[in-house]
Amino acid sequence: MSTQHFDIAIIGAGQGGLPAAHLAARLGARVALIEMHQVGGT
Amino acid sequence: MHLVRDRAHQFGVRGIDPQALSFDLRAAVGRKDEIVGGIISGIKSGLAKTAAITYINGRAAFLSPREIRVGKQTITADKTIMAVGSRVAKAQIPGLEDAGYLTNNEALKLHQVPASMVIIGAGYVGVEFAQMYARFGTRVTLVSRSARVMRNEEPELREALGHLLVQEGINLLTDTAVTAAGQADGQRYVEVKPATGKVQRLEAEQILLAAGRTARIEDLGLEQAGVALQNGFIQANGQLQTTAPNIWSLGDANGGQMVTHRAIYDGVTSALNAVLDKGRTVDYRVVPRAVFTEPALASVGLTQAEAEARGASVSIGTYAFSGSGRGKAMGATEGLVKIVADDKTGEILGGHILGAHADMLIHELVVAMQQRATARDLGKTIHIHPTLNEIVQSAAKAVK
Ligand SMILES: Cc1cc2nc3c(=O)[nH]c(=O)nc-3n(C[C@H](O)[C@H](O)[C@H](O)COP(=O)(O)OP(=O)(O)OC[C@H]3O[C@@H](n4cnc5c(N)ncnc54)[C@H](O)[C@@H]3O)c2cc1C
């Protein structure tokens, strides 16, 4: 399996992870957003 | 159902037969699921439209500060923002695991109203669920370790909220510890011990554990990443950077105020710092909070005791909802506004509201505090009549 590389990894697509991911993307970063359950959190 | 009957009576609505009313929890949960489902699909389509974000479904664990394993896949990242949230803290109550209990997650998925429920913990999750299930028709016992519900809030408001819950038929046990739980003859029970008194056994069709939350850090590989903990939460500095220089952490997992709007604020700060090296420091001076009971409890800034503990000499202004014409017309006469101000400068240091729409009214104090306004500034601001906001204005005027 190949290894993908990102500028920023965000662990958790909950209430804080989602805005962090969107802003990081808008600022030009290549983002991996990792979530084990469901987006939205808690 | 008692609520529908009482309200109808109060407002002169006739012909409602309380015996004929029934409540369908399955339908209510279905409606909730539909609303949440809509929100989630909105989030997903937002992500799908953003080419720069690769969404990966799986549990992440650090292998090193720059390597993360997700299932069978390994990714590398120059920088990481941890946004792992919190979960219900395990309680050291003998027999509880075997007895079986609900957390807030399962308690929002029941399809049948339980006949009885014992709720362990009287923080915001405990009191919100206590009132909700009591209104569904469940016999609720709410067990609080301290003398009142809602630790850290103003004592008058805590007292008044506890009183309102008791009036609704909730069995509120204060200064009481849960000592054991179990099952006997197919029936769950909880044993409680009041500070002064004997152990008592309470039958409970369901037990809801709401006694605190802790960082969700199991199997996250924090050691491999070089991320340290502090009191069980992730240690982050003012820029939200952890002890690993290329890793930031936000929200509930860092401890402090566990609320969505703080996590969102942290999300913005951590992204600016991680991507652009902005070195921005979080400022939590003005983070409001609300408990969505009815009436709601909302607050911002310092309580009187907190301000005094910091050496401030304070002036207090209070005003009761019962003094408001609008409150009377709405049948919302319970509660009060309390404002804590610096005695010397008049600056508002804290605002505390128990009453109808407290969660909205509080924003007047939030903006005032953000601008470092004085109680006098707020008191002389013209407010619309008749509104509940006039209660906030009156409390500001009452600050001596
Ligand atoms: C019952 C209840 C009611 C609440 N009501 C309110 C309210 O009315 N108002 C309010 O402001 N706040 C409320 N909160 C608090 C609010 O939900 C949290 O403060 C907020 O969700 C915190 O955001 P977060 O990003 O830190 O964590 P979360 O939103 O919980 O997100 C964390 C995410 O990370 C994921 N994750 C964790 N570890 C991993 C891993 N190793 N790999 C991959 N994914 C991982 C989780 O699955 C989760 O989706 C409530 C909380 C509860 C429990």
Side-chain angles (χ1 to χ4, degrees), chain A residues 10-19 34-42, chain B residues 56-61 68-70 82-88 103-105 108 124-125 128-129 213 216-220 250-254 257-264 266 288-292:
Chain A
I10 294 176
I11 306 179
Q15 299 300 327
L18 283 163
I34 310 166
E35 170 57 53
M36 63 181 175
H37 293 315
Q38 176 69 277
V39 297
T42 315
Chain B
I56 304 172
N57 194 221
R59 176 187 275 270
I68 299 168
R69 203 189 52 227
V70 189
M82 289 194 289
V84 295
S86 61
R87 61 163 174 79
V88 173
T103 70
N104 54 280
N105 292 321
L108 287 174
Y124 73 91
V125 177
E128 285 177 6
F129 279 84
R213 299 181 67 83
R216 203 190 273 123
I217 48 170
E218 302 76 35
D219 308 320
L220 197 53
L250 62 78
D252 280 16
N254 296 358
Q257 267 199 58
M258 298 192 194
V259 287
T260 290
H261 36 287
R262 177 270 182 112
I264 295 171
D266 281 4
R289 51 192 186 271
V291 186
F292 291 93

Side-chain angles (χ1 to χ4, degrees), chain A, chain B residues 40 43-44 46-47 50 52-60 62 68 70 73-84 105 213 216 250 260 263-264 267-268 271 274-275:
Chain A
M1 189 147 280
S2 70
T3 302
Q4 266 188 295
H5 181 76
F6 297 89
D7 301 322
I8 304 261
I10 294 176
I11 306 179
Q15 299 300 327
L18 283 163
H22 280 288
L23 180 56
R26 221 170 62 224
L27 297 174
R30 281 179 17 90
V31 178
L33 178 61
I34 310 166
E35 170 57 53
M36 63 181 175
H37 293 315
Q38 176 69 277
V39 297
T42 315
Chain B
I40 288 175
I43 294 173
K44 283 184 175 161
L47 286 173
T50 312
I53 300 177
T54 303
Y55 181 73
I56 304 172
N57 194 221
R59 176 187 275 270
F62 286 102
I68 299 168
V70 189
Q73 188 182 0
T74 299
I75 65 160
T76 56
D78 295 334
K79 297 167 178 174
T80 294
I81 297 172
M82 289 194 289
V84 295
N105 292 321
R213 299 181 67 83
R216 203 190 273 123
L250 62 78
T260 290
I264 295 171
V268 171
V275 181

